[in-house]
């Protein structure tokens, strides 16, 4: 299958910021998926040592960062980012739509609402573009030097058939990786957008607060991965111990295990698609192999490699692939991704399909 980031690497000899890596010490957030980072004013690369190492590595997942860029990556691990406070999804009809507007965010103050369709960002049409491209443009990942707090982005929105443009300021925000909605009786949907530090604990709290008798839809669409330890912690929420994944680092084998005491009885569906990546795929594979959940949606992205950062003499940071991970049954996900138990046909509503599956899981035998 072709992958968007393959196209990026074909256009640029040096991949900088497109890795979206399953990293131990750092992970690049979804907003950087456009794969562009600024060059210095004189046109030279600000991450020269790391850049040379990455360019000669032949590693398609390698990434090079200046010290400042990698500091931003580290901040993102703590859930901090510069953006507008908008969460977006691609609908079954292919539209880019606002799924959530964070409370007291610049987007809320500008009048953006959940359900608004985003047609353009800074005049660029979104037809045919991946949702990660929209997120990157909202955060300004394609022009970092101009996209700090206080910068603005122009959104072309459609609401009730009317098109209008709204200017939204960017600000330094704290991400909430776990959001909970109860959109249908008997079903609680929990969306995990990324595995930053503390996200597994937030997921556990969300599951503990689910209404008695409710089934759970765990939505991992748009989750580009994050910390392996957080993904393993998320698996612990739904498993009672046991293997989550194995991985190798320079040929040395390691294993991740779930903690005991997770919720093993609540009916569970996991929603995935082509934007479910890396450690989010690891969690999906664990729940599928352990027969804990029914996986619904479309094939996941297919990134099962592990990257680790290495600081270079000039202070730049190179992230290079050091190994691969496998699901409990020994499957690797590179390139092929994870095939859901129930594949949702194009144009169908994945959430409706998930509810139908849950109805079967909770029906009396």
């Amino acid at each position: 299958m072709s992958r968007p980031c393959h196209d990026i690497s074909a256009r640029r000899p040096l991949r900088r910021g497109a890795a979206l890596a399953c990293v131990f010490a750092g992970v690049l957030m979804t907003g950087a998926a456009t794969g562009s980072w600024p060059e210095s004013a004189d046109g030279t690369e600000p991450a020269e040592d790391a850049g040379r190492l990455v360019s000669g590595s032949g590693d398609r997942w390698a990434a090079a960062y200046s010290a400042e860029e990698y500091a931003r990556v580290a901040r993102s691990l703590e859930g901090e980012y510069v953006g507008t406070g908008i969460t977006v999804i691609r609908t079954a009809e292919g539209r880019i739509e606002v799924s959530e507007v964070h409370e007291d965010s610049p987007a809320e103050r500008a009048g953006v609402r959940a359900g608004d369709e985003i047609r353009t960002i800074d005049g660029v049409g979104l037809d045919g573009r991946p949702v990660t491209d929209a997120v990157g443009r909202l955060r300004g990942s394609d022009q970092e030097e101009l996209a700090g707090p206080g910068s603005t982005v122009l959104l072309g929105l459609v609401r009730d058939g009317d098109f209008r443009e709204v200017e939204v300021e960017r600000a330094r925000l704290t991400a909430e990786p776990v959001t909970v909605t109860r959109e249908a009786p008997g079903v609680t949907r929990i969306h995990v957008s990324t595995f930053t530090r503390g996200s597994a604990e937030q997921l556990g709290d969300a599951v503990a607060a689910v209404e008695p008798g409710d089934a759970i839809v765990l939505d991992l669409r748009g989750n580009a991965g994050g910390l392996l330890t957080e993904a393993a912690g998320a698996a612990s929420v739904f498993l009672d111990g046991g293997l989550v994944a194995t991985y190798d680092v320079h040929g040395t084998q390691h294993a991740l295990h779930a903690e005991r005491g997770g919720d093993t009885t609540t009916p569970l569906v996991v929603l995935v698609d082509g934007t479910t990546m890396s450690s989010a795929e690891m969690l999906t594979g664990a729940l599928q192999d352990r027969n804990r959940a029914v996986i619904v949606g479309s094939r996941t992205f297919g990134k099962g490699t592990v990257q680790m950062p290495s600081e270079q003499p000039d202070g730049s940071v190179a992230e290079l692939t050091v190994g691969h991970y496998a699901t409990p049954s020994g499957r690797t996900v590179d390139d092929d991704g994870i095939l859901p138990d129930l594949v949702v046909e194009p144009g169908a509503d994945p959430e409706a399909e998930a509810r139908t599956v849950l109805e079967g899981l909770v029906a009396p035998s």
Side-chain angles (χ1 to χ4, degrees):
M1 295 176 64
S2 62
R3 306 298 185 197
C5 56
H6 295 183
D7 296 336
I8 294 169
S9 60
R11 291 195 302 269
R12 296 175 63 88
L14 172 62
R15 291 169 49 84
R16 308 184 62 222
L20 290 165
C22 182
V23 186
F24 296 97
V27 60
L28 196 61
M29 305 289 280
T30 308
T34 51
S36 297
W37 288 93
E39 297 184 352
S40 57
D42 61 1
T44 61
E45 296 285 352
E48 291 183 355
D49 286 355
R52 282 192 291 269
L53 181 60
V54 167
S55 292
S57 69
D59 181 351
R60 64 170 176 159
W61 294 114
Y65 308 94
S66 68
E68 180 182 2
E69 289 168 352
Y70 201 77
R72 287 197 291 268
V73 173
R75 284 196 300 270
S76 75
L77 278 175
E78 304 300 329
E80 294 184 4
Y81 70 99
V82 174
T84 59
I86 293 173
T87 301
V88 297
I89 60 170
R90 179 176 293 281
T91 68
E93 296 77 23
R95 299 189 301 269
I96 301 295
E97 189 174 283
V98 177
S99 61
E100 182 182 0
V101 179
H102 299 176
E103 186 176 355
D104 197 32
S105 67
E108 183 184 62
R109 292 191 290 271
V112 180
R113 298 179 190 172
D116 287 348
E117 178 189 352
I118 304 180
R119 287 276 181 87
T120 62
I121 299 178
D122 286 332
V124 177
L126 299 183
D127 284 351
R129 294 181 180 269
V131 69
T132 47
D133 182 79
V135 174
R137 292 179 184 279
L138 287 169
R139 293 189 180 180
S141 300
D142 57 336
Q143 48 177 356
E144 282 277 332
E145 73 279 11
L146 303 176
S151 64
T152 59
V153 59
L154 185 65
L155 306 183
L157 304 177
V158 174
R159 183 188 302 165
D160 298 328
D162 296 325
F163 178 85
R164 65 191 185 106
E165 290 189 318
V166 177
E167 188 174 67
V168 183
E169 185 175 311
R170 297 186 181 96
R172 191 172 300 283
L173 303 171
T174 300
E176 294 295 337
V178 177
T179 55
V180 181
T181 55
R182 195 167 186 261
E183 300 166 348
V187 178
T188 294
R189 173 178 166 270
I190 303 176
H191 181 249
V192 182
S193 60
T194 185
F195 288 113
T196 51
R197 205 174 311 282
S199 55
E201 182 179 358
Q202 290 186 38
L203 175 61
D205 292 343
V207 170
V210 168
E211 292 282 341
D214 267 19
I216 295 174
V217 173
L218 178 63
D219 192 348
L220 298 181
R221 294 174 299 175
N223 187 321
L227 293 172
L228 281 175
T229 50
E230 292 294 331
S236 298
V237 175
F238 299 106
L239 298 172
D240 186 22
L243 186 64
V244 174
T246 58
Y247 63 93
D248 66 278
V249 177
H250 298 307
T252 301
Q253 292 295 316
H254 304 268
L256 292 168
H257 291 88
E259 296 181 5
R260 298 191 65 86
D263 178 353
T264 61
T265 59
T266 300
L268 177 65
V269 163
V270 179
L271 272 178
V272 298
D273 64 9
T275 62
T276 304
M277 298 174 63
S278 200
S279 51
E281 292 177 284
M282 185 189 78
L283 172 60
T284 301
L287 296 176
Q288 188 178 49
D289 283 1
R290 298 282 302 275
N291 295 315
R292 177 59 186 93
V294 178
I295 314 302
V296 175
S298 54
R299 190 183 294 272
T300 62
F301 183 87
K303 181 187 180 297
T305 54
V306 177
Q307 282 70 43
M308 292 189 72
S310 174
E311 186 174 354
Q312 303 304 302
D314 66 352
S316 61
V317 176
E319 278 183 356
L320 298 173
T321 298
V322 296
H324 297 75
Y325 73 81
T327 68
S329 68
R331 290 184 297 163
T332 58
V333 304
D334 267 357
D335 296 323
D336 290 334
I338 291 176
L339 183 67
D341 300 305
L342 175 62
V343 176
V344 176
E345 296 300 323
D349 183 352
E351 294 185 33
E353 297 281 1
R355 289 193 294 270
T356 299
V357 171
L358 286 174
E359 288 172 2
L361 293 177
V362 301
S365 56

